[in-house]
Amino acid sequence: FPGAGSRFQEAKRLLHTAVPECLLARERETGKIKRFLREHVCAGRPGSLYIAGAPGTGKTACVSRVLQDCQGELASSKTVVLNCMSLSSSQGVFAAVASQLGLQPRAPARELARQLEQQLTAKGPMVLLVLDELDQLDSKGQDVLYTVFEWPWLPGSRLVLIGGWQRGARGAGPPAPARAELALPAGMANALDLTERGLARLQARPGCRPRLLPFAPYTREQLVAILQERLRQVAGDPVLDGSAVQFCARKVSAVSGDARKALDVCRRAVELVERDARSQTVLKPLPPGE
């Protein structure tokens, strides 16, 4: 068991769900996000991108990776990143965004929305607003979502919006895009069809529809590649058997294709292997007289 403890600790660290340096199986989506930012934020053109997919399909990781990689290109703009899960209500998004833009966030929601509209249409640098867990803004009449998605299309707007939506979340859904950028599996296509009835006011104004970037669930092969790439960084003998990694990927892909779930399962497996290894470490008694 000498040295094995540190190997187990390293394996568990590598099986975390934070943003890795390299995002396997999401090169195409990452490239599209970068191109969108360059076409809009860097070019000074307002617009919106709607990212849809089931949990654990890499939406947040891809956006976070791109924002880190493009820090230099985005330096002249203002970037606001907000996880809508942190909001106590859907209207709380106005106060959160206002605070980031230097406005007083204590006014009523309607007044804050008006102030933000004035701020985002006044002269100044481009503003990139990233709203993760966008489904939390679902509300009666969808007034909050309407307001947010209309910001980039106000006359003189300098806002670029990226919104991430969990496919299958409650409510009617975000506005449907004018066209899909990727070929969709049947299940996801059906889910996106349901969103076309969500915000009819934007449907009547084709120019306000956000661009779509769907994230499909990870396949078994993709999950195996992700898990193996993490575990390959651990020095020495493999911490987990290859057949165990294949089994985990096959089960997770059949249920959800959720990479976070696959990482969690493997991390738990490493903990069990570590516990068994420690229990097998027995100190031998010294011979008589020593």
Side-chain angles (χ1 to χ4, degrees), residues 187-233:
M188 181 173 286
N190 292 338
L192 292 173
D193 288 342
L194 293 175
T195 68
E196 293 183 1
R197 300 185 294 274
L199 298 177
R201 195 161 76 205
L202 293 186
Q203 294 302 311
R205 301 168 59 190
C208 293
R209 296 176 184 175
R211 190 182 301 185
L212 168 68
L213 182 57
F215 277 59
Y218 286 103
T219 65
R220 178 182 64 83
E221 293 79 11
Q222 290 172 335
L223 290 175
V224 168
I226 291 170
L227 296 172
Q228 289 180 341
E229 192 274 335
R230 303 278 184 111
L231 292 170
R232 196 177 294 121
Q233 300 176 50

mmCIF file of all heavy atoms in Angstrom, residues 187-233:
data_model
loop_
_atom_site.group_PDB
_atom_site.id
_atom_site.type_symbol
_atom_site.label_atom_id
_atom_site.label_comp_id
_atom_site.label_asym_id
_atom_site.label_seq_id
_atom_site.Cartn_x
_atom_site.Cartn_y
_atom_site.Cartn_z
ATOM 1 N N GLY A 187 -35.486 12.939 -29.646
ATOM 2 C CA GLY A 187 -35.970 13.342 -28.333
ATOM 3 C C GLY A 187 -35.750 14.804 -28.055
ATOM 4 O O GLY A 187 -36.627 15.509 -27.560
ATOM 5 N N MET A 188 -34.561 15.304 -28.389
ATOM 6 C CA MET A 188 -34.286 16.711 -28.151
ATOM 7 C C MET A 188 -35.096 17.583 -29.091
ATOM 8 O O MET A 188 -35.570 18.648 -28.708
ATOM 9 C CB MET A 188 -32.791 17.001 -28.311
ATOM 10 C CG MET A 188 -32.451 18.458 -28.055
ATOM 11 S SD MET A 188 -30.687 18.783 -28.052
ATOM 12 C CE MET A 188 -30.230 18.074 -26.477
ATOM 13 N N ALA A 189 -35.259 17.157 -30.335
ATOM 14 C CA ALA A 189 -36.057 17.939 -31.285
ATOM 15 C C ALA A 189 -37.475 18.101 -30.763
ATOM 16 O O ALA A 189 -38.071 19.179 -30.843
ATOM 17 C CB ALA A 189 -36.061 17.250 -32.646
ATOM 18 N N ASN A 190 -38.049 17.030 -30.210
ATOM 19 C CA ASN A 190 -39.404 17.119 -29.657
ATOM 20 C C ASN A 190 -39.447 18.101 -28.497
ATOM 21 O O ASN A 190 -40.392 18.875 -28.356
ATOM 22 C CB ASN A 190 -39.875 15.743 -29.196
ATOM 23 C CG ASN A 190 -40.093 14.804 -30.370
ATOM 24 O OD1 ASN A 190 -40.294 15.257 -31.495
ATOM 25 N ND2 ASN A 190 -40.024 13.509 -30.118
ATOM 26 N N ALA A 191 -38.430 18.050 -27.634
ATOM 27 C CA ALA A 191 -38.401 18.955 -26.485
ATOM 28 C C ALA A 191 -38.325 20.405 -26.936
ATOM 29 O O ALA A 191 -38.963 21.285 -26.368
ATOM 30 C CB ALA A 191 -37.206 18.622 -25.586
ATOM 31 N N LEU A 192 -37.528 20.673 -27.979
ATOM 32 C CA LEU A 192 -37.407 22.035 -28.464
ATOM 33 C C LEU A 192 -38.672 22.478 -29.184
ATOM 34 O O LEU A 192 -39.025 23.650 -29.169
ATOM 35 C CB LEU A 192 -36.196 22.149 -29.393
ATOM 36 C CG LEU A 192 -34.840 21.976 -28.695
ATOM 37 C CD1 LEU A 192 -33.723 21.929 -29.726
ATOM 38 C CD2 LEU A 192 -34.586 23.103 -27.714
ATOM 39 N N ASP A 193 -39.376 21.543 -29.840
ATOM 40 C CA ASP A 193 -40.645 21.895 -30.468
ATOM 41 C C ASP A 193 -41.630 22.415 -29.434
ATOM 42 O O ASP A 193 -42.424 23.310 -29.708
ATOM 43 C CB ASP A 193 -41.253 20.674 -31.181
ATOM 44 C CG ASP A 193 -40.481 20.332 -32.451
ATOM 45 O OD1 ASP A 193 -39.746 21.215 -32.933
ATOM 46 O OD2 ASP A 193 -40.625 19.210 -32.939
ATOM 47 N N LEU A 194 -41.594 21.849 -28.234
ATOM 48 C CA LEU A 194 -42.512 22.283 -27.197
ATOM 49 C C LEU A 194 -42.257 23.735 -26.796
ATOM 50 O O LEU A 194 -43.163 24.436 -26.371
ATOM 51 C CB LEU A 194 -42.378 21.370 -25.972
ATOM 52 C CG LEU A 194 -42.825 19.923 -26.159
ATOM 53 C CD1 LEU A 194 -42.525 19.134 -24.898
ATOM 54 C CD2 LEU A 194 -44.303 19.842 -26.499
ATOM 55 N N THR A 195 -41.014 24.193 -26.936
ATOM 56 C CA THR A 195 -40.699 25.557 -26.525
ATOM 57 C C THR A 195 -41.178 26.593 -27.535
ATOM 58 O O THR A 195 -41.180 27.782 -27.228
ATOM 59 C CB THR A 195 -39.183 25.730 -26.341
ATOM 60 O OG1 THR A 195 -38.554 25.643 -27.624
ATOM 61 C CG2 THR A 195 -38.620 24.671 -25.415
ATOM 62 N N GLU A 196 -41.551 26.188 -28.722
ATOM 63 C CA GLU A 196 -41.966 27.151 -29.734
ATOM 64 C C GLU A 196 -43.221 27.900 -29.319
ATOM 65 O O GLU A 196 -43.486 28.988 -29.810
ATOM 66 C CB GLU A 196 -42.195 26.449 -31.064
ATOM 67 C CG GLU A 196 -40.914 25.906 -31.677
ATOM 68 C CD GLU A 196 -41.158 25.283 -33.023
ATOM 69 O OE1 GLU A 196 -42.319 25.289 -33.487
ATOM 70 O OE2 GLU A 196 -40.198 24.795 -33.631
ATOM 71 N N ARG A 197 -43.994 27.308 -28.415
ATOM 72 C CA ARG A 197 -45.213 27.967 -27.951
ATOM 73 C C ARG A 197 -44.980 28.790 -26.691
ATOM 74 O O ARG A 197 -45.901 29.343 -26.115
ATOM 75 C CB ARG A 197 -46.294 26.919 -27.688
ATOM 76 C CG ARG A 197 -46.657 26.099 -28.925
ATOM 77 C CD ARG A 197 -47.815 25.153 -28.617
ATOM 78 N NE ARG A 197 -47.442 24.121 -27.655
ATOM 79 C CZ ARG A 197 -46.871 22.971 -27.987
ATOM 80 N NH1 ARG A 197 -46.584 22.718 -29.245
ATOM 81 N NH2 ARG A 197 -46.575 22.080 -27.066
ATOM 82 N N GLY A 198 -43.706 28.842 -26.230
ATOM 83 C CA GLY A 198 -43.415 29.461 -24.946
ATOM 84 C C GLY A 198 -43.567 30.963 -24.909
ATOM 85 O O GLY A 198 -44.240 31.489 -24.035
ATOM 86 N N LEU A 199 -42.928 31.661 -25.823
ATOM 87 C CA LEU A 199 -42.947 33.121 -25.817
ATOM 88 C C LEU A 199 -43.441 33.611 -27.166
ATOM 89 O O LEU A 199 -42.660 33.956 -28.052
ATOM 90 C CB LEU A 199 -41.552 33.672 -25.506
ATOM 91 C CG LEU A 199 -40.976 33.300 -24.141
ATOM 92 C CD1 LEU A 199 -39.568 33.836 -23.979
ATOM 93 C CD2 LEU A 199 -41.856 33.808 -23.018
ATOM 94 N N ALA A 200 -44.755 33.661 -27.297
ATOM 95 C CA ALA A 200 -45.351 33.971 -28.588
ATOM 96 C C ALA A 200 -44.983 35.362 -29.083
ATOM 97 O O ALA A 200 -44.891 35.597 -30.288
ATOM 98 C CB ALA A 200 -46.872 33.831 -28.498
ATOM 99 N N ARG A 201 -44.742 36.298 -28.170
ATOM 100 C CA ARG A 201 -44.443 37.661 -28.583
ATOM 101 C C ARG A 201 -43.128 37.714 -29.363
ATOM 102 O O ARG A 201 -42.998 38.466 -30.336
ATOM 103 C CB ARG A 201 -44.356 38.567 -27.364
ATOM 104 C CG ARG A 201 -44.396 40.060 -27.700
ATOM 105 C CD ARG A 201 -44.759 40.864 -26.472
ATOM 106 N NE ARG A 201 -43.646 40.988 -25.543
ATOM 107 C CZ ARG A 201 -43.786 41.202 -24.233
ATOM 108 N NH1 ARG A 201 -44.995 41.257 -23.698
ATOM 109 N NH2 ARG A 201 -42.744 41.330 -23.447
ATOM 110 N N LEU A 202 -42.159 36.902 -28.958
ATOM 111 C CA LEU A 202 -40.912 36.853 -29.700
ATOM 112 C C LEU A 202 -41.068 36.089 -31.001
ATOM 113 O O LEU A 202 -40.379 36.367 -31.980
ATOM 114 C CB LEU A 202 -39.812 36.212 -28.850
ATOM 115 C CG LEU A 202 -39.353 36.987 -27.618
ATOM 116 C CD1 LEU A 202 -38.171 36.291 -26.977
ATOM 117 C CD2 LEU A 202 -39.016 38.429 -27.958
ATOM 118 N N GLN A 203 -41.975 35.102 -31.009
ATOM 119 C CA GLN A 203 -42.220 34.360 -32.247
ATOM 120 C C GLN A 203 -42.757 35.277 -33.337
ATOM 121 O O GLN A 203 -42.501 35.083 -34.516
ATOM 122 C CB GLN A 203 -43.215 33.224 -31.990
ATOM 123 C CG GLN A 203 -42.705 32.135 -31.060
ATOM 124 C CD GLN A 203 -41.438 31.498 -31.597
ATOM 125 O OE1 GLN A 203 -41.376 31.112 -32.751
ATOM 126 N NE2 GLN A 203 -40.421 31.411 -30.761
ATOM 127 N N ALA A 204 -43.526 36.286 -32.927
ATOM 128 C CA ALA A 204 -44.086 37.227 -33.901
ATOM 129 C C ALA A 204 -43.046 38.216 -34.403
ATOM 130 O O ALA A 204 -43.306 38.957 -35.349
ATOM 131 C CB ALA A 204 -45.259 37.982 -33.275
ATOM 132 N N ARG A 205 -41.873 38.230 -33.770
ATOM 133 C CA ARG A 205 -40.794 39.140 -34.182
ATOM 134 C C ARG A 205 -39.552 38.305 -34.449
ATOM 135 O O ARG A 205 -38.704 38.108 -33.576
ATOM 136 C CB ARG A 205 -40.537 40.167 -33.081
ATOM 137 C CG ARG A 205 -41.752 41.008 -32.723
ATOM 138 C CD ARG A 205 -41.527 41.791 -31.444
ATOM 139 N NE ARG A 205 -40.360 42.686 -31.534
ATOM 140 C CZ ARG A 205 -39.844 43.326 -30.488
ATOM 141 N NH1 ARG A 205 -40.378 43.167 -29.283
ATOM 142 N NH2 ARG A 205 -38.813 44.122 -30.638
ATOM 143 N N PRO A 206 -39.423 37.764 -35.678
ATOM 144 C CA PRO A 206 -38.313 36.857 -35.988
ATOM 145 C C PRO A 206 -36.946 37.434 -35.653
ATOM 146 O O PRO A 206 -36.025 36.704 -35.308
ATOM 147 C CB PRO A 206 -38.472 36.620 -37.492
ATOM 148 C CG PRO A 206 -39.918 36.879 -37.773
ATOM 149 C CD PRO A 206 -40.316 37.971 -36.822
ATOM 150 N N GLY A 207 -36.801 38.764 -35.732
ATOM 151 C CA GLY A 207 -35.511 39.357 -35.444
ATOM 152 C C GLY A 207 -35.092 39.241 -33.995
ATOM 153 O O GLY A 207 -33.923 39.434 -33.668
ATOM 154 N N CYS A 208 -36.034 38.925 -33.115
ATOM 155 C CA CYS A 208 -35.737 38.819 -31.683
ATOM 156 C C CYS A 208 -35.420 37.389 -31.255
ATOM 157 O O CYS A 208 -35.094 37.169 -30.080
ATOM 158 C CB CYS A 208 -36.923 39.337 -30.864
ATOM 159 S SG CYS A 208 -37.216 41.104 -31.034
ATOM 160 N N ARG A 209 -35.540 36.454 -32.145
ATOM 161 C CA ARG A 209 -35.304 35.060 -31.760
ATOM 162 C C ARG A 209 -33.815 34.814 -31.533
ATOM 163 O O ARG A 209 -32.982 35.208 -32.339
ATOM 164 C CB ARG A 209 -35.806 34.123 -32.844
ATOM 165 C CG ARG A 209 -37.306 34.183 -33.083
ATOM 166 C CD ARG A 209 -37.696 33.291 -34.239
ATOM 167 N NE ARG A 209 -39.117 33.396 -34.540
ATOM 168 C CZ ARG A 209 -39.690 32.791 -35.573
ATOM 169 N NH1 ARG A 209 -38.961 32.062 -36.395
ATOM 170 N NH2 ARG A 209 -40.989 32.935 -35.789
ATOM 171 N N PRO A 210 -33.479 34.167 -30.442
ATOM 172 C CA PRO A 210 -32.061 33.888 -30.186
ATOM 173 C C PRO A 210 -31.541 32.769 -31.081
ATOM 174 O O PRO A 210 -32.299 31.942 -31.581
ATOM 175 C CB PRO A 210 -32.050 33.456 -28.721
ATOM 176 C CG PRO A 210 -33.408 32.880 -28.503
ATOM 177 C CD PRO A 210 -34.346 33.686 -29.354
ATOM 178 N N ARG A 211 -30.235 32.754 -31.261
ATOM 179 C CA ARG A 211 -29.591 31.649 -31.968
ATOM 180 C C ARG A 211 -29.589 30.428 -31.045
ATOM 181 O O ARG A 211 -29.481 30.561 -29.824
ATOM 182 C CB ARG A 211 -28.161 32.033 -32.334
ATOM 183 C CG ARG A 211 -27.475 31.060 -33.287
ATOM 184 C CD ARG A 211 -26.052 31.491 -33.566
ATOM 185 N NE ARG A 211 -25.972 32.827 -34.154
ATOM 186 C CZ ARG A 211 -24.832 33.372 -34.567
ATOM 187 N NH1 ARG A 211 -23.686 32.704 -34.430
ATOM 188 N NH2 ARG A 211 -24.827 34.579 -35.097
ATOM 189 N N LEU A 212 -29.707 29.256 -31.619
ATOM 190 C CA LEU A 212 -29.787 28.017 -30.837
ATOM 191 C C LEU A 212 -28.494 27.232 -30.887
ATOM 192 O O LEU A 212 -27.884 27.074 -31.942
ATOM 193 C CB LEU A 212 -30.925 27.139 -31.359
ATOM 194 C CG LEU A 212 -30.955 25.689 -30.844
ATOM 195 C CD1 LEU A 212 -31.284 25.646 -29.363
ATOM 196 C CD2 LEU A 212 -31.939 24.862 -31.639
ATOM 197 N N LEU A 213 -28.075 26.715 -29.729
ATOM 198 C CA LEU A 213 -26.968 25.768 -29.657
ATOM 199 C C LEU A 213 -27.371 24.629 -28.716
ATOM 200 O O LEU A 213 -27.258 24.754 -27.497
ATOM 201 C CB LEU A 213 -25.695 26.446 -29.149
ATOM 202 C CG LEU A 213 -24.453 25.557 -29.073
ATOM 203 C CD1 LEU A 213 -24.137 24.931 -30.422
ATOM 204 C CD2 LEU A 213 -23.260 26.347 -28.556
ATOM 205 N N PRO A 214 -27.882 23.512 -29.249
ATOM 206 C CA PRO A 214 -28.284 22.390 -28.388
ATOM 207 C C PRO A 214 -27.106 21.490 -28.026
ATOM 208 O O PRO A 214 -26.187 21.304 -28.818
ATOM 209 C CB PRO A 214 -29.291 21.635 -29.270
ATOM 210 C CG PRO A 214 -28.854 21.932 -30.661
ATOM 211 C CD PRO A 214 -28.227 23.300 -30.663
ATOM 212 N N PHE A 215 -27.137 20.951 -26.826
ATOM 213 C CA PHE A 215 -26.126 20.017 -26.341
ATOM 214 C C PHE A 215 -26.784 18.648 -26.179
ATOM 215 O O PHE A 215 -27.678 18.479 -25.347
ATOM 216 C CB PHE A 215 -25.566 20.483 -24.998
ATOM 217 C CG PHE A 215 -24.475 21.504 -25.099
ATOM 218 C CD1 PHE A 215 -24.702 22.726 -25.720
ATOM 219 C CD2 PHE A 215 -23.222 21.252 -24.567
ATOM 220 C CE1 PHE A 215 -23.712 23.679 -25.807
ATOM 221 C CE2 PHE A 215 -22.209 22.206 -24.647
ATOM 222 C CZ PHE A 215 -22.450 23.421 -25.275
ATOM 223 N N ALA A 216 -26.339 17.685 -26.957
ATOM 224 C CA ALA A 216 -26.874 16.329 -26.847
ATOM 225 C C ALA A 216 -26.248 15.608 -25.655
ATOM 226 O O ALA A 216 -25.133 15.951 -25.232
ATOM 227 C CB ALA A 216 -26.587 15.557 -28.131
ATOM 228 N N PRO A 217 -26.935 14.623 -25.074
ATOM 229 C CA PRO A 217 -26.328 13.839 -23.992
ATOM 230 C C PRO A 217 -25.059 13.151 -24.478
ATOM 231 O O PRO A 217 -24.921 12.814 -25.662
ATOM 232 C CB PRO A 217 -27.417 12.813 -23.645
ATOM 233 C CG PRO A 217 -28.690 13.435 -24.129
ATOM 234 C CD PRO A 217 -28.331 14.213 -25.347
ATOM 235 N N TYR A 218 -24.115 12.933 -23.582
ATOM 236 C CA TYR A 218 -22.882 12.240 -23.928
ATOM 237 C C TYR A 218 -23.175 10.768 -24.260
ATOM 238 O O TYR A 218 -24.000 10.123 -23.615
ATOM 239 C CB TYR A 218 -21.889 12.294 -22.775
ATOM 240 C CG TYR A 218 -21.235 13.643 -22.579
ATOM 241 C CD1 TYR A 218 -21.642 14.483 -21.549
ATOM 242 C CD2 TYR A 218 -20.209 14.071 -23.414
ATOM 243 C CE1 TYR A 218 -21.040 15.727 -21.360
ATOM 244 C CE2 TYR A 218 -19.610 15.304 -23.233
ATOM 245 C CZ TYR A 218 -20.023 16.126 -22.207
ATOM 246 O OH TYR A 218 -19.439 17.358 -22.020
ATOM 247 N N THR A 219 -22.489 10.263 -25.253
ATOM 248 C CA THR A 219 -22.601 8.847 -25.608
ATOM 249 C C THR A 219 -21.678 8.025 -24.710
ATOM 250 O O THR A 219 -20.839 8.559 -23.981
ATOM 251 C CB THR A 219 -22.207 8.624 -27.070
ATOM 252 O OG1 THR A 219 -20.804 8.948 -27.233
ATOM 253 C CG2 THR A 219 -23.039 9.508 -28.005
ATOM 254 N N ARG A 220 -21.815 6.705 -24.798
ATOM 255 C CA ARG A 220 -20.945 5.828 -24.002
ATOM 256 C C ARG A 220 -19.485 6.054 -24.363
ATOM 257 O O ARG A 220 -18.621 6.154 -23.485
ATOM 258 C CB ARG A 220 -21.321 4.367 -24.254
ATOM 259 C CG ARG A 220 -20.422 3.369 -23.497
ATOM 260 C CD ARG A 220 -20.809 1.939 -23.814
ATOM 261 N NE ARG A 220 -20.597 1.632 -25.226
ATOM 262 C CZ ARG A 220 -19.420 1.272 -25.748
ATOM 263 N NH1 ARG A 220 -18.343 1.203 -24.963
ATOM 264 N NH2 ARG A 220 -19.311 0.980 -27.019
ATOM 265 N N GLU A 221 -19.193 6.146 -25.654
ATOM 266 C CA GLU A 221 -17.806 6.324 -26.086
ATOM 267 C C GLU A 221 -17.238 7.649 -25.571
ATOM 268 O O GLU A 221 -16.070 7.724 -25.160
ATOM 269 C CB GLU A 221 -17.723 6.280 -27.610
ATOM 270 C CG GLU A 221 -18.040 4.934 -28.235
ATOM 271 C CD GLU A 221 -19.543 4.664 -28.309
ATOM 272 O OE1 GLU A 221 -20.331 5.615 -28.061
ATOM 273 O OE2 GLU A 221 -19.919 3.519 -28.615
ATOM 274 N N GLN A 222 -18.059 8.693 -25.584
ATOM 275 C CA GLN A 222 -17.591 9.992 -25.099
ATOM 276 C C GLN A 222 -17.331 9.968 -23.600
ATOM 277 O O GLN A 222 -16.341 10.532 -23.125
ATOM 278 C CB GLN A 222 -18.611 11.067 -25.460
ATOM 279 C CG GLN A 222 -18.685 11.378 -26.943
ATOM 280 C CD GLN A 222 -19.836 12.302 -27.286
ATOM 281 O OE1 GLN A 222 -20.838 12.362 -26.566
ATOM 282 N NE2 GLN A 222 -19.711 13.029 -28.388
ATOM 283 N N LEU A 223 -18.213 9.310 -22.847
ATOM 284 C CA LEU A 223 -18.013 9.214 -21.397
ATOM 285 C C LEU A 223 -16.762 8.409 -21.065
ATOM 286 O O LEU A 223 -16.006 8.771 -20.149
ATOM 287 C CB LEU A 223 -19.245 8.584 -20.740
ATOM 288 C CG LEU A 223 -20.511 9.439 -20.719
ATOM 289 C CD1 LEU A 223 -21.682 8.640 -20.148
ATOM 290 C CD2 LEU A 223 -20.305 10.712 -19.896
ATOM 291 N N VAL A 224 -16.529 7.337 -21.802
ATOM 292 C CA VAL A 224 -15.317 6.537 -21.582
ATOM 293 C C VAL A 224 -14.083 7.398 -21.821
ATOM 294 O O VAL A 224 -13.128 7.384 -21.029
ATOM 295 C CB VAL A 224 -15.306 5.299 -22.505
ATOM 296 C CG1 VAL A 224 -13.925 4.631 -22.491
ATOM 297 C CG2 VAL A 224 -16.361 4.297 -22.078
ATOM 298 N N ALA A 225 -14.088 8.172 -22.903
ATOM 299 C CA ALA A 225 -12.947 9.029 -23.220
ATOM 300 C C ALA A 225 -12.715 10.064 -22.125
ATOM 301 O O ALA A 225 -11.563 10.333 -21.734
ATOM 302 C CB ALA A 225 -13.171 9.717 -24.566
ATOM 303 N N ILE A 226 -13.796 10.653 -21.598
ATOM 304 C CA ILE A 226 -13.678 11.661 -20.539
ATOM 305 C C ILE A 226 -13.095 11.042 -19.266
ATOM 306 O O ILE A 226 -12.169 11.580 -18.649
ATOM 307 C CB ILE A 226 -15.046 12.296 -20.256
ATOM 308 C CG1 ILE A 226 -15.491 13.157 -21.448
ATOM 309 C CG2 ILE A 226 -15.022 13.129 -18.976
ATOM 310 C CD1 ILE A 226 -16.927 13.630 -21.363
ATOM 311 N N LEU A 227 -13.634 9.891 -18.873
ATOM 312 C CA LEU A 227 -13.173 9.247 -17.641
ATOM 313 C C LEU A 227 -11.730 8.763 -17.775
ATOM 314 O O LEU A 227 -10.913 8.943 -16.856
ATOM 315 C CB LEU A 227 -14.092 8.080 -17.299
ATOM 316 C CG LEU A 227 -15.548 8.438 -16.962
ATOM 317 C CD1 LEU A 227 -16.398 7.183 -16.832
ATOM 318 C CD2 LEU A 227 -15.622 9.270 -15.682
ATOM 319 N N GLN A 228 -11.410 8.155 -18.901
ATOM 320 C CA GLN A 228 -10.048 7.654 -19.099
ATOM 321 C C GLN A 228 -9.037 8.783 -19.145
ATOM 322 O O GLN A 228 -7.914 8.650 -18.643
ATOM 323 C CB GLN A 228 -9.982 6.805 -20.370
ATOM 324 C CG GLN A 228 -10.683 5.461 -20.253
ATOM 325 C CD GLN A 228 -10.591 4.650 -21.527
ATOM 326 O OE1 GLN A 228 -10.327 5.184 -22.612
ATOM 327 N NE2 GLN A 228 -10.804 3.345 -21.419
ATOM 328 N N GLU A 229 -9.424 9.908 -19.750
ATOM 329 C CA GLU A 229 -8.506 11.043 -19.832
ATOM 330 C C GLU A 229 -8.177 11.572 -18.448
ATOM 331 O O GLU A 229 -7.036 11.957 -18.167
ATOM 332 C CB GLU A 229 -9.137 12.141 -20.684
ATOM 333 C CG GLU A 229 -8.188 13.262 -21.092
ATOM 334 C CD GLU A 229 -8.079 14.354 -20.048
ATOM 335 O OE1 GLU A 229 -9.043 14.503 -19.255
ATOM 336 O OE2 GLU A 229 -7.051 15.047 -20.006
ATOM 337 N N ARG A 230 -9.163 11.582 -17.547
ATOM 338 C CA ARG A 230 -8.912 12.030 -16.180
ATOM 339 C C ARG A 230 -8.022 11.035 -15.434
ATOM 340 O O ARG A 230 -7.042 11.422 -14.786
ATOM 341 C CB ARG A 230 -10.234 12.186 -15.428
ATOM 342 C CG ARG A 230 -11.250 13.125 -16.070
ATOM 343 C CD ARG A 230 -10.994 14.574 -15.754
ATOM 344 N NE ARG A 230 -12.015 15.441 -16.304
ATOM 345 C CZ ARG A 230 -12.913 16.117 -15.585
ATOM 346 N NH1 ARG A 230 -12.920 15.997 -14.270
ATOM 347 N NH2 ARG A 230 -13.792 16.900 -16.163
ATOM 348 N N LEU A 231 -8.381 9.746 -15.510
ATOM 349 C CA LEU A 231 -7.662 8.730 -14.743
ATOM 350 C C LEU A 231 -6.258 8.482 -15.276
ATOM 351 O O LEU A 231 -5.377 8.034 -14.540
ATOM 352 C CB LEU A 231 -8.464 7.423 -14.753
ATOM 353 C CG LEU A 231 -9.796 7.469 -13.987
ATOM 354 C CD1 LEU A 231 -10.609 6.215 -14.261
ATOM 355 C CD2 LEU A 231 -9.547 7.630 -12.492
ATOM 356 N N ARG A 232 -6.040 8.778 -16.560
ATOM 357 C CA ARG A 232 -4.734 8.557 -17.170
ATOM 358 C C ARG A 232 -3.665 9.465 -16.555
ATOM 359 O O ARG A 232 -2.468 9.197 -16.645
ATOM 360 C CB ARG A 232 -4.827 8.790 -18.674
ATOM 361 C CG ARG A 232 -3.646 8.220 -19.472
ATOM 362 C CD ARG A 232 -3.861 8.438 -20.954
ATOM 363 N NE ARG A 232 -5.006 7.666 -21.420
ATOM 364 C CZ ARG A 232 -6.086 8.200 -21.999
ATOM 365 N NH1 ARG A 232 -6.162 9.499 -22.182
ATOM 366 N NH2 ARG A 232 -7.063 7.422 -22.421
ATOM 367 N N GLN A 233 -4.080 10.531 -15.908
ATOM 368 C CA GLN A 233 -3.135 11.478 -15.320
ATOM 369 C C GLN A 233 -2.588 11.013 -13.970
ATOM 370 O O GLN A 233 -1.680 11.639 -13.429
ATOM 371 C CB GLN A 233 -3.817 12.837 -15.160
ATOM 372 C CG GLN A 233 -4.316 13.434 -16.467
ATOM 373 C CD GLN A 233 -5.069 14.740 -16.248
ATOM 374 O OE1 GLN A 233 -4.581 15.638 -15.562
ATOM 375 N NE2 GLN A 233 -6.259 14.857 -16.821
#
